[in-house]
Amino acid sequence: VLGVVQKAPLASTFGDSVSDPAWRHKPSWYQISSADRMISPVNQERMAARLGARKVITLDASHASLASRPAEVAALILEAAAAITTVAG
């Protein structure tokens, strides 16, 4: 189903410049998919390190970890939301 409904990004997206990315100022959490064949897990680790993720989890999952490991992904999202709510509250 994902293969049918998912659309390619606009070509212009790749030429857009971002002058002040949010990850430089806002906390981040990161989930690595160890069986991802779209984005190398090694590159995912680099991205998580670059943005200074507060927490990184690695799941035995493909690129579609939201579909194959929803409980673990949701738990990470809820943890991040709770941390932000605590800081903002």
Side-chain angles (χ1 to χ4, degrees):
V1 172
L2 287 174
V4 172
V5 299
Q6 195 171 34
K7 305 289 186 231
L10 295 173
S12 63
T13 301
F14 299 105
D16 292 347
S17 62
V18 178
S19 60
D20 190 26
W23 58 263
R24 287 192 177 148
H25 310 285
K26 297 184 180 195
S28 300
W29 285 252
Y30 202 98
Q31 180 261 305
I32 296 170
S33 294
S34 64
D36 197 328
R37 296 187 324 177
M38 296 293 290
I39 304 172
S40 164
V42 172
N43 285 342
Q44 293 178 56
E45 291 168 2
R46 287 184 191 132
M47 289 186 282
R50 181 177 182 196
L51 58 83
R54 288 189 178 183
K55 181 174 184 176
V56 177
I57 63 169
T58 301
L59 299 178
D60 182 16
S62 70
H63 191 68
S65 58
L66 289 169
S68 66
R69 303 291 295 269
E72 294 93 332
V73 174
L76 182 64
I77 293 168
L78 291 171
E79 181 181 324
I84 296 301
T85 303
T86 303
V87 171

